[in-house]
């Protein structure tokens, strides 16, 4: 199934402009809990502006609009220097006015040399934002990411402990600190999505010790037990998970029987296959799965790919939803029930026979949340026990090794395919006597081809994941993740080099009552004027068409990234250059019988050696103005990880094997 590039035709009145669009740097006049409006300034011209291409977010400004107050609070103003095991801890107090919408704005500056780092934000024990950092330059970088947070409304309504874990190390080589500002804007909109009445964490629950609450799997048992409120009438679990260290490039890993194929040439390879499955178990029974999107962080493959355009989802790692409403007849019995997250790969016997593994490499950072929608107090939900129709995924693997004239292994080719179906159904009876069927279904397929050639120095990866998740609530999620990466590295006594090309995409559509905002809420009943944040900068833009926008019930995001990059480290200097192009489309799903997509936003952006050379943004019915020109930073100014033989080596950088991987610093490290 090919990933079609987004069309650049529009059904509505649109304007086209070519621009370089740096985010506006956020500063706050004073420190404390409540600061009122946030001052926004243009970043110093020496800073390279990084960004993740994403859909526009509606952010009101001022102190009020026609629907009520607009209130902005500072949540964090903090420098993450040597922050390993030292998360930021602060306090949130709700604003002094009513609201039904929340957005956060996260701005970071950094200068020097540093790895990409993973960051997790918690309200108490509940993870609410997972992000990663861009790698800084000698002259410095800046980026802003704005995120909708309506799904956590029940948390924002009460005081909370804020914990932000961004583990970082500072020494004579890695000098870059991360200077961060986090604000939240509260407002009211007329189009309101139902929010969960209660949210329970599937986490290590360490906020009482001022610690972050992520599990590290497989070292931790990622399990919790709860007595679910007996009046729960809908329940959905979300899972946040990503691989780190030897699991960062899981999609390039080999079968366990072949980890030593090139032991003499490049060392031990990472195992458990290029397939991963994140599982949710309730009382030990499978309730749903996530087949993860292959996130590439800003130091991944070749750093030159990711300046200034970050990888897909790198600044906001996407979560999947699993509807567990069919389990309510047993979850609402008043007894404790366990919720567990596991990560599986593939075990093989060396003869092309495969089975799911009980563990994977080191490590996956995972948390989850249980979103509960409650009925009347003192009511009890009952019904039939869930009927579970599932079996282990159908796995097919094959591999072959060729040798050269000396008899040494030259090429390893391995294929992996998987498919899985999950059907869970029950009958729910609520306190008012109504009875309705509840169901959760998943259909997933996966294929992967990997070729390690030149005795492991070159690797070609072609992978695709396709899935459809459906709930009886009307929720539907369809997704497709294609990936092609080709990388080669070379080494000598005092230098190393990497060349790579890639093509990757994400096609992700949501229909119906999702837990997480789909993005179309900005366009349903948008107030006038509307302030849309486009890649971090805010402009007064009011969408319009020749007729009013229809009501939108879902959204589709379709994006493709492609490019070529190279890296060279020699002596005390290291450089990376690259060309990256991204085409991005965001459309709303209409309520008509055909489910027609209404194109709302598109962007086509191209970077060459850290300079933006093409940037076209289209917003439905409105013109995207051109901000001041940002500075173009050449490849010679890029500073990356490997310097004078210290730090992360090329094998771990490309995922060829453990090598000298960067430390896992989230949650206190390992």
């Amino acid at each position: 199934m090919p990933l079609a590039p987004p069309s650049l035709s529009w059904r509505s009145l649109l304007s086209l402009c070519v621009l370089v669009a740096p985010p506006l740097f956020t500063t706050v006049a004073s420190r404390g809990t409540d600061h009122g409006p946030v001052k926004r300034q243009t970043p110093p011209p020496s800073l390279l502006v990084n960004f993740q291409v994403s859909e526009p977010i509606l952010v009101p400004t001022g102190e009020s609009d026609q629907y009520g107050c607009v209130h902005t609070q500072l949540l964090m103003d903090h420098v993450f220097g040597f922050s390993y095991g030292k998360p930021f801890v602060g306090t949130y107090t709700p604003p002094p006015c009513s609201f039904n919408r929340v957005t956060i704005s996260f701005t970071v500056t950094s200068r020097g040399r540093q790895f990409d780092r993973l960051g997790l934000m918690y309200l108490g024990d509940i993870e609410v934002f997972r992000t990663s950092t861009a790698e800084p330059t000698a002259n410095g970088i800046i980026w802003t990411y704005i995120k909708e947070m309506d799904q956590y409304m029940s948390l924002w309504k009460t005081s909370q402990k804020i914990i932000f874990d961004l583990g970082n190390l500072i020494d004579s080589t890695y000098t870059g600190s991360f200077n961060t500002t986090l604000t939240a804007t509260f407002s009211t909109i007329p189009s309101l999505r139902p929010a969960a009445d209660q949210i329970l964490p599937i986490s290590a629950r360490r906020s009482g010790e001022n610690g972050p609450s992520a599990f590290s799997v497989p070292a931790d048992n990622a399990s919790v037990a709860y007595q679910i409120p007996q009046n729960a009438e809908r329940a959905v679990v979300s899972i946040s998970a990503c691989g780190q260290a030897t699991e960062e490039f899981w999609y390039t890993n080999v079968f366990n029987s072949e980890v030593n194929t090139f032991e003499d040439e490049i060392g031990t390879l990472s195992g458990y296959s290029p397939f991963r499955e994140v599982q949710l178990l309730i009382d030990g029974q499978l309730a749903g799965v996530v087949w993860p999107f292959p996130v590439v962080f800003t130091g991944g493959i070749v750093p030159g790919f990711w300046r200034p355009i970050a990888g897909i989802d790198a600044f906001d790692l996407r979560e999947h939803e699993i509807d567990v409403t069919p389990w309510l007849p047993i979850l609402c019995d008043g007894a404790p029930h366990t919720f567990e997250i596991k990560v599986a790969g593939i075990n093989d016997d060396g003869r092309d026979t495969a089975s799911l593994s009980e563990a994977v490499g080191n490590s996956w950072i995972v948390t989850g949340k249980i979103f509960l929608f409650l009925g009347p107090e003192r009511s009890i939900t009952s019904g039939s026990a869930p009927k579970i129709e599932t079996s282990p995924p159908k796995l097919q693997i094959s591999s072959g090794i060729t040798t050269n004239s000396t008899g040494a292994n030259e090429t390893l080719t391995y294929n992996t395919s998987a498919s899985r179906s999950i059907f869970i159904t029950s009958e729910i009876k609520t306190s008012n006597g109504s009875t309705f069927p509840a169901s959760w279904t998943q259909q997933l397929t996966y294929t992967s081809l990997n070729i390690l050639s030149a005795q492991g120095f070159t690797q070609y990866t072609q992978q695709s994941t396709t899935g459809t998740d459906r709930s009886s609530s009307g929720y539907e999620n369809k997704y497709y993740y294609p990936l092609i990466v080709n990388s080669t590295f070379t080494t000598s006594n005092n230098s190393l080099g990497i060349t790579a090309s890639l093509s990757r995409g994400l096609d992700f559509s949501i229909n119906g009552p999702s837990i997480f905002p789909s993005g179309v809420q900005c366009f349903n009943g948008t107030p006038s004027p509307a302030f849309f944040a486009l890649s971090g900068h805010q402009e007064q833009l009011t969408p319009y068409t020749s007729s009013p926008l229809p009501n939108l019930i879902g959204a589709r995001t379709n994006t493709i990234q492609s490019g070529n990059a190279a890296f060279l480290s020699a002596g005390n200097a290291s450089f990376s250059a690259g060309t990256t192009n991204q085409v991005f489309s965001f459309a709303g799903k209409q309520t008509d019988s055909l489910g027609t997509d209404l194109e709302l936003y598109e962007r086509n952006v191209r970077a060459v050696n850290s300079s933006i050379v093409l940037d076209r943004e289209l917003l439905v019915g409105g013109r995207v103005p051109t901000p001041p020109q940002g500075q173009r930073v050449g490849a010679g100014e890029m500073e990356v990880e490997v310097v004078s033989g210290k730090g992360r080596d090329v094998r771990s950088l490309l995922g060829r094997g453990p090598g000298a991987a960067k430390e896992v610093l989230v949650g206190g490290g390992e």
Side-chain angles (χ1 to χ4, degrees), residues 369-390:
K369 293 172 281 286
I370 309 169
F371 294 84
L372 297 172
F373 298 78
L374 306 179
E377 290 187 28
R378 292 185 294 277
S379 64
I380 297 177
T381 297
S382 59
S384 63
K387 180 180 179 182
I388 304 169
E389 298 179 24
T390 185

Side-chain angles (χ1 to χ4, degrees), residues 28 38 47 179 202 210 284 351 447 455 464 475 485 633 638:
V28 180
V38 175
L47 295 181
N179 305 279
I202 304 176
N210 291 336
R351 297 185 297 273
T447 62
Q455 297 186 312
S464 72
Y475 169 83
V485 179
V633 178
M638 299 179 69

Side-chain angles (χ1 to χ4, degrees), residues 306-330:
W306 315 121
R307 288 202 178 101
I309 305 172
I312 300 169
D313 286 0
F315 285 171
D316 185 7
L317 277 69
R318 195 177 302 265
E319 297 186 46
H320 273 259
E321 303 178 21
I322 298 173
D323 195 326
V324 297
T325 302
W327 295 80
L328 287 180
I330 62 173

Side-chain angles (χ1 to χ4, degrees), residues 406-421:
T406 68
N409 291 336
E410 182 70 22
T411 300
L412 169 63
T413 301
Y414 51 107
N415 290 274
T416 312
S417 67
S419 62
R420 189 193 260 284
S421 298

Side-chain angles (χ1 to χ4, degrees), residues 33 71 73 92-97 99 155-160 186:
T33 303
H71 187 88
Q73 283 191 26
Y92 159 75
T93 301
C97 60
F99 60 93
L155 303 179
W156 292 114
K157 293 291 185 178
T158 61
S159 297
Q160 299 286 339
F186 303 86

Side-chain angles (χ1 to χ4, degrees), residues 274-322:
F275 171 79
R276 292 294 179 271
E277 178 176 86
V278 184
Q279 303 171 339
L280 171 68
L281 294 92
I282 296 178
D283 293 338
Q285 294 182 285
L286 188 68
V289 299
V290 176
W291 287 10
F293 174 73
V295 175
V296 181
F297 299 108
T298 60
I301 304 175
V302 180
F305 281 123
W306 315 121
R307 288 202 178 101
I309 305 172
I312 300 169
D313 286 0
F315 285 171
D316 185 7
L317 277 69
R318 195 177 302 265
E319 297 186 46
H320 273 259
E321 303 178 21
I322 298 173

Side-chain angles (χ1 to χ4, degrees), residues 553-578:
I553 60 170
R556 180 185 180 188
T557 299
N558 189 335
T559 188
I560 300 171
Q561 281 185 330
S562 59
N564 299 276
F567 167 84
L568 174 65
S569 176
N572 292 321
S574 56
F575 308 95
S576 190

Side-chain angles (χ1 to χ4, degrees), residues 57-132:
I57 301 297
L58 176 67
V59 181
T61 63
E63 297 183 358
S64 64
D65 59 22
Q66 61 265 51
Y67 301 111
C69 78
V70 176
H71 187 88
T72 298
Q73 283 191 26
L74 177 68
L75 302 180
M76 176 178 71
D77 186 358
H78 188 72
V79 177
F80 291 93
F82 198 108
S83 55
Y84 168 69
K86 302 175 182 177
F88 167 84
V89 180
T91 301
Y92 159 75
T93 301
C97 60
S98 63
F99 60 93
N100 64 9
R101 188 167 187 276
V102 184
T103 60
I104 61 169
S105 179
F106 183 53
T107 295
V108 185
T109 61
S110 185
R111 186 187 308 272
R113 183 183 298 115
Q114 194 53 262
F115 288 110
D116 58 89
R117 303 296 190 186
L118 188 66
L120 279 70
M121 174 188 173
Y122 304 86
L123 294 180
D125 294 319
I126 298 173
E127 180 189 337
V128 297
F129 178 38
R130 181 172 298 202
T131 187
S132 67

